[in-house]
Amino acid sequence: MEDWARLWLEEQRKQGKKGLEIKKIGNHHYVYYSTTHWSKQLKKRIKSSDYIGKIDPIKGFTEGVKRSITSKNLRGIKEYGNAVLFDHLLPDLRACLQDAFPDEWKEIYAVAITRAMGYTPLKRIKSSWDKIYDIQEINPQLDAKNLSKILKLVGSDSRAQDSVFKALSMRDKELVYDLSTVLTRSSINFAEIGYNKGKVHVPQINIALFCSMTTGLPTMIRTLPGSVRDIKSLYNSILEARKEGGTVVLDRGFFSKGTIQFLLEKGMNFILPARRNSRLYNTGIDLSGHMFYQKRLIKCGKRKNENIFLYLFEDQQLKLEENTTLYRKLDEDKIDEIDLTNSQERAGKILIVSNLDSDPKEIFMQYKSRDRIEKLFDTYKNSLHSDILYLQDNESIFGHIFISFLSLYIYSKIEQTLKRADILDKHSPKDVLLELSKVYLVELDDCNLISEVPKKLEMLDKKMKLNLFPKARS
């Protein structure tokens, strides 16, 4: 609510006028008279609002024409709730896209938003966007032919992409990194036969994703040939991220002497779990400390080993579960007594290598932040869906992956809002978007009307502290 509109309401109050309410829709301020009446069916008082006009900082109040909605004066009905949410959460994204892609940012932004709401193929992007109220009045050109050109342009401009990544991660030094695979049936030369968890020997592309440990938001993505090994991809991605001096949390699949040496040379703080067969597990570490993680008792200890620190954690519940499994294998003759003894020594244990001299509890919590990036990958692949299987050139693939990253960023912003409100366990971003889609904007010849906000959504908005539907009353 702008100051001049608030002052107008205060003046109406001084004149004894009550029940007035202002709703800001886009860049316009509309005035309603609101009251309540008793509903015999619902057996409670319900609110009703009548549009009476609009106000302008120059023209002042202009009385509206009271009339019913007909086919003659109705220009359109748009989803308003989602539009307000995106407008509220994404000023940073809009700004960096405008700087990086001054000619294409509108189309990039529109595609990213539509896909954050649910996977939409290029040929249906325009129809999906047209359902949403264009609150910023950007009017993107979203026909499929133009979007195909945009994908190529975006995919070929790595410098502009880097500008966006830099803007989104400017304040982040602590990063979580992981690598995943996307299969493709395209004949592009960037896709190569490589190893994947499903052991399917078809062309694939590796996706390297960085995530902020502080905010939980994705900050950068890299596309790598399908045959590139994890360690090599890590080297290149860290160099491209220009995050020397920061902290990176890795998966045990990256563990090797070469990785440790590289990170030390680059001045990169790291948290790296050792492989279960590493000889470092034989290092004597006193488990004199303890902590609780999700009600699980974790014993912990720390020891310096040359220029690195070894952190050992023993999950008591996991130890019991692994020992139970080992004895079952022994009874089934799948292992012998020697295997049993050797495996028991490491049951329930996690060894983490780091150059940070820190509290074991802090190191453990930073390591567990990896759970976040695994969930991000799941969401990201859902947004990629099937288009990437059939795109026929490298540039289109890169553009598609970049825009899908933006959709992931948008989805994650909603998720972080729910997390801050401590309601993520009860509401998902999809739940929020579904509720918001119930609020419509009706475009008439001489004014715009907003449908009533459901009580459930009003409560949700209050918990999230977003104030998406502000009301100023006299």
Side-chain angles (χ1 to χ4, degrees):
M1 176 64 59
E2 297 181 24
D3 291 340
W4 63 266
R6 187 175 288 106
L7 290 174
W8 183 87
L9 268 182
E10 291 177 358
E11 182 62 29
Q12 301 305 306
R13 185 187 308 131
K14 292 178 182 179
Q15 297 177 17
K17 297 180 180 179
K18 298 181 179 180
L20 297 183
E21 177 182 351
I22 291 180
K23 296 182 181 180
K24 184 180 179 182
I25 305 175
N27 296 320
H28 304 288
H29 293 73
Y30 297 95
V31 184
Y32 293 79
Y33 176 76
S34 299
T35 186
T36 61
H37 67 274
W38 180 260
S39 172
K40 294 182 179 180
Q41 292 78 15
L42 299 176
K43 296 183 178 179
K44 65 177 183 180
R45 300 196 70 81
I46 61 174
K47 175 187 168 185
S48 61
S49 298
D50 294 320
Y51 168 72
I52 60 175
K54 63 181 181 180
I55 55 172
D56 182 270
I58 298 176
K59 297 179 180 179
F61 175 74
T62 303
E63 187 174 356
V65 179
K66 295 183 180 180
R67 53 178 170 171
S68 59
I69 299 174
T70 67
S71 59
K72 293 183 179 181
N73 67 358
L74 177 64
R75 292 189 290 114
I77 299 176
K78 305 285 187 178
E79 291 183 7
Y80 179 71
N82 287 331
V84 176
L85 176 68
F86 293 132
D87 188 60
H88 181 88
L89 293 182
L90 304 177
D92 59 335
L93 184 60
R94 288 194 299 272
C96 65
L97 285 177
Q98 288 180 55
D99 290 339
F101 299 97
D103 297 324
E104 301 88 19
W105 79 268
K106 296 178 180 180
E107 288 73 25
I108 296 171
Y109 181 69
V111 175
I113 280 183
T114 54
R115 287 192 163 172
M117 298 174 66
Y119 172 74
T120 309
L122 288 181
K123 64 181 181 180
R124 292 204 292 268
I125 291 290
K126 187 178 188 306
S127 296
S128 297
W129 175 260
D130 286 344
K131 291 167 53 182
I132 308 170
Y133 179 57
D134 189 357
I135 199 167
Q136 290 288 331
E137 299 181 352
I138 63 176
N139 299 315
Q141 302 300 312
L142 298 176
D143 59 279
K145 187 175 182 179
N146 186 51
L147 290 181
S148 296
K149 293 179 181 178
I150 296 288
L151 280 182
K152 281 192 175 184
L153 288 170
V154 172
S156 61
D157 197 344
S158 59
R159 181 174 296 182
Q161 291 186 33
D162 287 341
S163 174
V164 174
F165 297 144
K166 184 177 180 180
L168 295 181
S169 63
M170 189 173 297
R171 300 174 183 175
D172 296 311
K173 279 290 186 180
E174 284 67 43
L175 299 173
V176 185
Y177 173 89
D178 203 0
L179 191 73
S180 189
T181 299
V182 176
L183 304 180
T184 175
R185 298 187 182 93
S186 300
S187 57
I188 61 172
N189 55 29
F190 197 78
E192 301 176 1
I193 300 294
Y195 174 79
N196 55 75
K197 293 180 180 179
K199 298 181 179 180
V200 179
H201 296 284
V202 298
Q204 64 186 37
I205 297 170
N206 282 333
I207 306 295
L209 182 65
F210 281 94
C211 169
S212 167
M213 193 188 305
T214 304
T215 64
L217 296 173
T219 58
M220 188 182 79
I221 199 163
R222 279 287 178 265
T223 310
L224 309 165
S227 62
V228 172
R229 296 189 308 119
D230 287 5
I231 300 303
K232 183 179 178 182
S233 72
L234 170 65
Y235 293 173
N236 295 331
S237 296
I238 289 178
L239 290 174
E240 292 178 2
R242 299 179 181 88
K243 289 295 181 182
E244 291 88 349
T247 301
V248 63
V249 183
L250 305 170
D251 182 78
R252 62 166 50 95
F254 293 100
F255 182 81
S256 74
K257 289 183 179 180
T259 302
I260 294 173
Q261 187 61 36
F262 172 81
L263 293 170
L264 290 172
E265 290 175 355
K266 292 299 176 183
M268 195 86 174
N269 297 326
F270 61 90
I271 296 173
L272 176 61
R275 297 181 189 273
R276 294 301 293 267
N277 61 354
S278 172
R279 293 181 180 178
L280 291 176
Y281 272 94
N282 298 328
T283 306
I285 302 176
D286 182 21
L287 296 176
S288 56
H290 76 277
M291 60 180 289
F292 287 92
Y293 177 74
Q294 296 181 350
K295 299 182 180 180
R296 298 164 73 107
L297 173 62
I298 312 290
K299 291 184 177 180
C300 55
K302 167 185 172 184
R303 179 172 178 174
K304 188 172 183 180
N305 186 7
E306 297 180 353
N307 57 347
I308 59 175
F309 291 89
L310 302 180
Y311 295 86
L312 184 63
F313 303 91
E314 187 179 77
D315 185 326
Q316 299 305 294
Q317 184 173 329
L318 180 61
K319 181 178 180 180
L320 176 61
E321 293 171 356
E322 291 186 354
N323 276 324
T324 300
T325 301
L326 287 171
Y327 275 102
R328 284 177 179 168
K329 289 184 176 180
L330 179 67
D331 293 342
E332 296 170 358
D333 295 325
K334 293 182 179 179
I335 60 174
D336 56 26
E337 292 286 351
I338 297 177
D339 294 329
L340 175 66
T341 301
N342 292 335
S343 298
Q344 280 185 312
E345 292 178 357
R346 299 181 185 183
K349 292 181 179 178
I350 301 172
L351 181 66
I352 294 178
V353 180
S354 177
N355 61 337
L356 295 171
D357 183 6
S358 186
D359 186 334
K361 298 177 184 178
E362 183 177 343
I363 294 293
F364 185 82
M365 294 307 296
Q366 288 177 314
Y367 165 70
K368 295 305 290 185
S369 67
R370 280 199 46 75
D371 294 345
R372 170 63 184 161
I373 202 167
E374 291 174 359
K375 293 178 181 177
L376 284 178
F377 260 129
D378 288 340
T379 304
Y380 182 77
K381 287 187 175 181
N382 287 335
S383 68
L384 280 174
H385 205 67
S386 60
D387 273 3
I388 198 170
L389 293 176
Y390 305 103
L391 295 174
Q392 295 302 314
D393 58 80
N394 290 345
E395 291 75 15
S396 295
I397 289 283
F398 301 154
H400 182 79
I401 287 174
F402 174 73
I403 293 179
S404 294
F405 166 83
L406 299 179
S407 297
L408 176 64
Y409 180 83
I410 295 170
Y411 191 89
S412 299
K413 288 276 281 190
I414 303 173
E415 192 173 62
Q416 290 305 297
T417 302
L418 294 171
K419 185 177 181 180
R420 285 194 298 270
D422 197 26
I423 55 175
L424 186 56
D425 58 332
K426 298 179 181 178
H427 304 278
S428 70
K430 288 184 178 180
D431 294 334
V432 174
L433 292 172
L434 177 61
E435 291 301 319
L436 285 168
S437 68
K438 299 175 183 178
V439 180
Y440 292 93
L441 179 137
V442 181
E443 297 177 313
L444 301 178
D445 287 338
D446 56 351
C447 69
N448 292 334
L449 305 177
I450 299 177
S451 64
E452 287 297 319
V453 180
K455 188 67 175 180
K456 180 179 178 180
L457 183 56
E458 282 189 345
M459 296 300 295
L460 187 59
D461 183 33
K462 184 177 180 180
K463 290 178 181 177
M464 294 190 295
K465 299 179 180 180
L466 295 180
N467 195 27
L468 297 178
F469 310 103
K471 299 176 181 178
R473 300 179 183 177
S474 61

